Amino acid sequence: MRILMLTDDVVIDRRIIQEAQTLIDRGHEVILLAAGQDDLPEFEWIGRVKVERIRQDVISKKSGSLFVYVIARILKACVSVVGPIRKALSEAFRKIIRFVGAKIIFLIKAITLPVRVLVRAFRKNILLPFESVIMDRVQRYDPDVIHAHDLPRLNVAVNASQRLRIPLIYDAHELYPEINTLTPSQKQTLFRLEKKRIRYCDQVITVNPFIAEEMAKRYKIAEPLVVYNAVNRPDGFNPTDAPNRFRETMPIPDDVGILLYQGWMSPTRGL
């Protein structure tokens, strides 16, 4: 089978490469669509994994999806400013504003009714401009399975899965809406997105049983399958051994504890 993986990673997560190589070992073809930047090639191999990078600043040439997206953003912006404006007005004008505002809102609703009906009818197929570019590449590769890594690629993955009528695997590397750099509003938006889109997945997998249990409870879905970030056991490895290699190579006293962090070191990761 041809398996197309989607990620917004620039520095590719080790989990993604391990999963891809495991699938290749089983005889499948794996192609990874990742995020790009100026100093990285558009096409490359990482081990035996074929990688195509798509820059985040690419804008879709599909005017239809861009038009719907722009209209939706304008309507959202209009709604978001109504509250602050009303609070800024004096009490003396509140009744007048409410009366006039009701008429304006009624008029806007009447004028935009066709657009709103269209948006409701095709909501699950609406893509952001950048997602439309990804969709074009997905269709070009014509995969047998879509494998979406983390929430930023879930929306386009659901659309691709339905359009091509192929299975969708959603790989949640973490509780994405709980990332500590997100604002409360962003967390709520991402929570609603994941809750809505996760129901279209044929299989959800994650990194440990605690996240699996929490996702099942949050979204009322079957508990996701746990796939650990494990590697093949090295030759000669004995799990019953208790080596003391840190103290053998560094001057750490026996009465001082050791905390080991393994992972990607970068700003704002909450370490």
Side-chain angles (χ1 to χ4, degrees):
M1 291 192 299
R2 173 176 288 177
I3 301 169
L4 188 61
M5 291 185 169
L6 307 179
T7 179
D8 70 332
D9 284 358
V10 175
V11 179
I12 308 298
D13 193 301
R14 185 177 68 94
R15 175 182 177 85
I16 298 175
I17 299 301
Q18 285 183 254
E19 289 181 345
Q21 290 178 340
T22 298
L23 290 167
I24 293 170
D25 289 341
R26 301 298 188 274
H28 303 294
E29 179 187 12
V30 178
I31 301 169
L32 175 62
L33 289 183
Q37 60 185 28
D38 289 338
D39 58 342
L40 293 173
E42 183 178 359
F43 297 94
E44 65 175 325
W45 289 82
I46 298 180
R48 291 172 293 153
V49 183
K50 303 174 185 177
V51 179
E52 178 182 351
R53 295 184 178 275
I54 303 177
R55 288 171 53 107
Q56 297 285 344
D57 56 358
V58 174
I59 301 299
S60 174
K61 295 180 180 179
K62 291 186 175 181
S63 59
S65 63
L66 180 59
F67 171 77
V68 174
Y69 171 67
V70 170
I71 290 296
R73 296 297 295 181
I74 291 173
L75 291 176
K76 183 177 180 180
C78 290
V79 172
S80 66
V81 300
V82 168
I85 290 176
R86 288 180 61 185
K87 290 180 181 179
L89 296 174
S90 64
E91 187 65 31
F93 291 96
R94 284 186 183 276
K95 290 185 179 180
I96 297 175
I97 293 299
R98 284 173 183 168
F99 176 79
V100 175
K103 299 300 182 182
I104 293 174
I105 291 174
F106 176 81
L107 182 61
I108 292 175
K109 285 184 177 180
I111 294 174
T112 61
L113 179 61
V115 175
R116 290 185 289 112
V117 171
L118 181 66
V119 168
R120 287 196 195 100
F122 296 97
R123 180 172 292 173
K124 66 182 180 181
N125 293 320
I126 292 176
L127 295 173
L128 300 178
F130 179 70
E131 290 176 323
S132 295
V133 176
I134 298 175
M135 177 66 79
D136 289 341
R137 300 307 300 158
V138 171
Q139 292 180 294
R140 180 69 62 88
Y141 282 117
D142 191 25
D144 300 297
V145 177
I146 296 286
H147 186 138
H149 289 276
D150 266 333
L151 186 53
R153 289 294 180 264
L154 183 56
N155 184 55
V156 65
V158 168
N159 280 268
S161 169
Q162 294 185 338
R163 189 174 300 185
L164 300 178
R165 298 182 179 181
I166 58 176
L168 168 60
I169 309 299
Y170 176 40
D171 193 336
H173 297 193
E174 57 193 323
L175 289 173
Y176 203 92
E178 301 302 327
I179 292 177
N180 68 324
T181 55
L182 298 173
T183 66
S185 176
Q186 290 171 329
K187 290 182 179 182
Q188 281 297 317
T189 298
L190 291 172
F191 168 78
R192 290 193 293 268
L193 173 64
E194 190 166 46
K195 182 178 182 179
K196 182 177 180 180
R197 292 294 187 251
I198 204 169
R199 301 184 184 281
Y200 295 98
C201 301
D202 294 279
Q203 179 66 60
V204 180
I205 64 178
T206 191
V207 297
N208 63 52
F210 309 106
I211 292 180
E213 182 180 353
E214 178 63 22
M215 293 184 73
K217 182 170 64 176
R218 285 188 180 194
Y219 303 128
K220 310 301 182 195
I221 60 172
E223 191 164 299
L225 177 68
V226 174
V227 177
Y228 289 108
N229 296 339
V231 297
N232 294 328
R233 180 179 297 180
D235 293 335
F237 175 75
N238 185 348
T240 62
D241 287 344
N244 202 5
R245 294 176 182 170
F246 286 126
R247 291 190 172 87
E248 290 171 359
T249 57
M250 293 177 280
I252 303 176
D254 291 339
D255 60 345
V256 174
I258 298 174
L259 174 63
L260 172 64
Y261 169 76
Q262 291 181 255
W264 178 22
M265 296 286 289
S266 69
T268 72
R269 281 184 71 87
L271 294 176

